[in-house]
């Protein structure tokens, strides 16, 4: 019937899924009946839907926050990368541990650059002994620079990823520089032997040109000895878990994540270290045995003391380099029961302490160098 009113039931759902019935009367003048227009009905339905939309938007925000935070989680599962874990077991203290790392690096850079600057400026220091100190300073700068920046990225920014080629390159450079340092220490021992046992022939036996040639020979020897290490490692298959328990790519730490036969790698590294470092230590021991014999023959106490002082700095540097290196090698091969962080700390001490302390030792123990450094640092 055209005169009769009709009621339309519009059903909407709220966030709690309870139905809401909205009435519409096409006779607005009818008493006691609500009169909702279609626009109002739509508005009411939208109001009822707002809690659901709010809930969805919160979840979307959470998802976007997670995606955003993932951007700063630089640890990757890319099979072409390794993961440097830093110091496992001490992750909560990485920020604190970064303080000695950064401090030692800054001291190392300042001290060694100062030595290079002073020797380059002073013509009186252009002698074989000081050229050898400069070569050692260069290797110290290289060693700390190859290790510390990446370690700080791990400690500060969680930048743990490193490409396979980058890891093998870092490993090769670190071990090459380490062998180069050993060659420099052998040359220093020979320099002290000639200076004490054959002082009259010192200027003819050890010239600056000859020191440069000896340094080049030491570099070539180091490269030849270390080049097979990354070549052998690159042929090995690696496990799915490519986490390296170290702050840098140290050879034995990388070998341990391989799933292949590592017998050749372990044997080569052991033989090369035993032969090369063994020969170097034998030559150093021979030089100092001859030096001690020559010193004991000196009757003058003053000359006796002076001869000993010329060797003190070199002996301290040798102890700092070879002792941590020996302990690191022994604990890696025979210290299976030692906590991993102890291995890692020893390996890092081996790389951080000598570059920091070497310039201090030579600056204090070598009088001529000490005076020249004081000339520049105390200048007003």
């Amino acid at each position: 019937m055209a005169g009769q009113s009709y009621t339309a039931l519009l059903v909407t759902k709220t966030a709690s899924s309870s139905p809401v019935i909205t009435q519409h009367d096409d006779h607005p003048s009818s008493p006691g009946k609500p009169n909702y227009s279609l626009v109002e009905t739509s508005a009411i339905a939208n109001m009822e839907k707002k809690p659901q939309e709010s809930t969805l938007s919160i979840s979307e925000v959470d998802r976007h926050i997670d995606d955003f935070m993932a951007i700063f989680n630089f640890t990757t599962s890319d099979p072409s990368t390794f993961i440097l874990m830093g110091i496992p077991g001490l992750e909560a203290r990485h920020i604190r541990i970064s303080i000695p790392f950064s401090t030692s690096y800054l001291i190392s850079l300042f001290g060694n650059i100062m030595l290079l600057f002073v020797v380059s400026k002073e013509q009186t220091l252009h002698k074989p002994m000081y050229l050898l100190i400069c070569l050692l300073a260069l290797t110290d700068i290289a060693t700390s620079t190859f290790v510390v920046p990446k370690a700080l990225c791990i400690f500060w920014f969680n930048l743990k990823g490193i490409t396979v080629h980058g890891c093998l390159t870092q490993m090769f450079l670190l071990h090459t520089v380490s062998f180069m340092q050993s060659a420099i220490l052998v040359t220093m021992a020979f320099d002290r032997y000639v200076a004490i046992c054959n002082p009259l022939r010192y200027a003819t036996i050890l010239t600056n040109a000859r020191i440069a040639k000896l340094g080049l020979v030491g570099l070539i020897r180091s490269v030849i000895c270390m080049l097979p290490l990354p070549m052998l490692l690159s042929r090995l298959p690696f496990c799915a878990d490519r986490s390296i328990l170290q702050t840098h790519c140290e050879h034995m730490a990388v070998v341990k994540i391989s799933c292949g036969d590592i017998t050749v790698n372990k044997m080569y590294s052991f033989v090369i270290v035993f032969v090369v470092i063994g020969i170097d230590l034998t030559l150093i021991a021979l030089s100092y045995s001859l030096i001690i014999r020559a010193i004991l023959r000196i009757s003058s106490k003053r000359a006796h003391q002076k001869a000993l002082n010329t060797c003190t700095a070199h002996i301290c540097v040798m102890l700092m380099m070879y002792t941590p290196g020996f302990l690191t090698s022994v604990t890696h091969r025979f210290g299976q029961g030692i906590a991993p962080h102890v291995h890692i700390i020893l390996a890092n001490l081996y790389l951080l302490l000598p570059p920091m302390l070497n310039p201090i030792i030579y600056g204090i123990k070598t009088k001529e160098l000490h005076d020249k450094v004081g000339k520049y640092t105390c200048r007003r």
Side-chain angles (χ1 to χ4, degrees):
M1 291 181 292
Q4 290 182 344
S5 64
Y6 67 92
T7 301
L9 298 178
L10 302 175
V11 181
T12 61
K13 282 193 175 183
T14 63
S16 61
S17 301
S18 59
V20 175
I21 301 175
T22 306
Q23 292 183 336
H24 177 76
D25 197 330
D26 62 351
H27 292 286
S29 58
S30 300
K33 293 182 179 181
N35 181 21
Y36 299 137
S37 67
L38 290 175
V39 175
E40 290 171 334
T41 304
S42 177
I44 293 171
N46 288 337
M47 290 176 65
E48 297 292 342
K49 288 181 179 180
K50 280 184 180 179
Q52 181 184 10
E53 293 175 356
S54 176
T55 304
L56 290 174
S57 63
I58 290 173
S59 64
E60 289 176 359
V61 169
D62 290 340
R63 180 172 57 81
H64 289 309
I65 289 174
D66 291 340
D67 293 341
F68 179 75
M69 293 302 291
I71 295 173
F72 294 94
N73 184 12
F74 295 98
T75 302
T76 175
S77 58
D78 187 347
S80 65
T81 63
F82 292 146
I83 308 300
L84 291 170
M85 299 303 296
I87 306 180
L90 300 177
E91 290 88 353
R93 301 179 183 177
H94 272 179
I95 297 298
R96 295 181 183 177
I97 294 171
S98 70
I99 296 174
F101 270 74
S102 56
T103 302
S104 65
Y105 183 53
L106 292 175
I107 294 173
S108 172
L109 285 181
F110 177 78
N112 287 293
I113 290 173
M114 175 61 73
L115 278 183
L116 293 171
F117 173 77
V118 171
V119 173
S120 66
K121 285 289 185 180
E122 294 293 329
Q123 290 292 330
T124 56
L125 298 180
H126 291 182
K127 300 175 182 177
M129 176 182 174
Y130 298 105
L131 292 182
L132 288 170
I133 292 176
C134 287
L135 287 177
L136 190 63
L138 288 173
T139 60
D140 286 339
I141 293 172
T143 300
S144 54
T145 301
F146 292 152
V147 174
V148 177
K150 180 59 182 177
L152 293 180
C153 287
I154 297 171
F155 297 150
W156 290 345
F157 308 114
N158 201 34
L159 275 165
K160 297 182 178 180
I162 184 171
T163 64
V164 174
H165 294 298
C167 183
L168 296 181
T169 301
Q170 185 191 46
M171 182 193 69
F172 168 73
L173 292 175
L174 277 175
H175 292 299
T176 299
V177 170
S178 177
F179 270 42
M180 181 67 185
Q181 288 175 330
S182 183
I184 292 171
L185 292 178
V186 173
T187 310
M188 283 182 165
F190 180 64
D191 170 79
R192 292 300 84 202
Y193 162 74
V194 176
I196 294 173
C197 299
N198 295 287
L200 298 179
R201 300 180 58 195
Y202 180 83
T204 57
I205 295 175
L206 285 176
T207 62
N208 291 344
R210 189 160 292 170
I211 290 296
K213 291 178 182 178
L214 289 173
L216 182 60
V217 169
L219 178 61
I220 294 172
R221 183 196 73 162
S222 302
V223 170
I224 292 174
C225 290
M226 290 296 106
L227 194 57
L229 288 182
M231 295 175 65
L232 289 171
L233 275 173
S234 64
R235 301 170 66 89
L236 290 175
F238 291 98
C239 303
D241 183 8
R242 299 190 168 198
S243 300
I244 300 174
L245 304 181
Q246 188 52 274
T247 59
H248 58 275
C249 291
E250 193 268 338
H251 177 253
M252 290 304 299
V254 177
V255 165
K256 288 179 179 179
I257 65 170
S258 172
C259 293
D261 185 6
I262 59 174
T263 305
V264 175
N265 300 72
K266 293 177 71 174
M267 286 300 299
Y268 179 80
S269 64
F270 177 78
V271 170
I272 204 69
V273 169
F274 181 80
V275 172
V276 174
I277 301 301
I279 290 174
D280 289 351
L281 287 174
T282 301
L283 292 174
I284 291 172
L286 178 62
S287 297
Y288 273 94
S289 63
L290 296 174
I291 288 171
I292 292 171
R293 188 179 69 175
I295 290 174
L296 293 176
R297 292 177 179 178
I298 298 174
S299 58
S300 171
K301 289 186 178 180
R302 184 176 179 181
H304 188 276
Q305 188 65 34
K306 184 179 179 181
L308 285 176
N309 287 339
T310 60
C311 301
T312 304
H314 184 236
I315 293 172
C316 292
V317 169
M318 281 194 307
L319 290 175
M320 277 194 309
M321 176 180 171
Y322 288 117
T323 303
F326 175 75
L327 292 175
T328 300
S329 180
V330 169
T331 54
H332 262 303
R333 287 172 172 81
F334 308 109
Q336 286 80 9
I338 299 176
H341 66 269
V342 175
H343 292 282
I344 298 168
I345 291 172
L346 280 175
N348 282 281
L349 285 176
Y350 167 64
L351 296 173
L352 295 178
L353 281 183
M356 179 180 68
L357 297 179
N358 286 348
I360 297 174
I361 292 172
Y362 281 114
I364 293 173
K365 287 294 184 180
T366 310
K367 186 178 184 304
E368 191 174 2
L369 184 59
H370 174 77
D371 294 340
K372 298 299 181 182
V373 170
K375 171 185 171 182
Y376 288 94
T377 56
C378 299
R379 180 186 293 176
R380 295 182 180 179

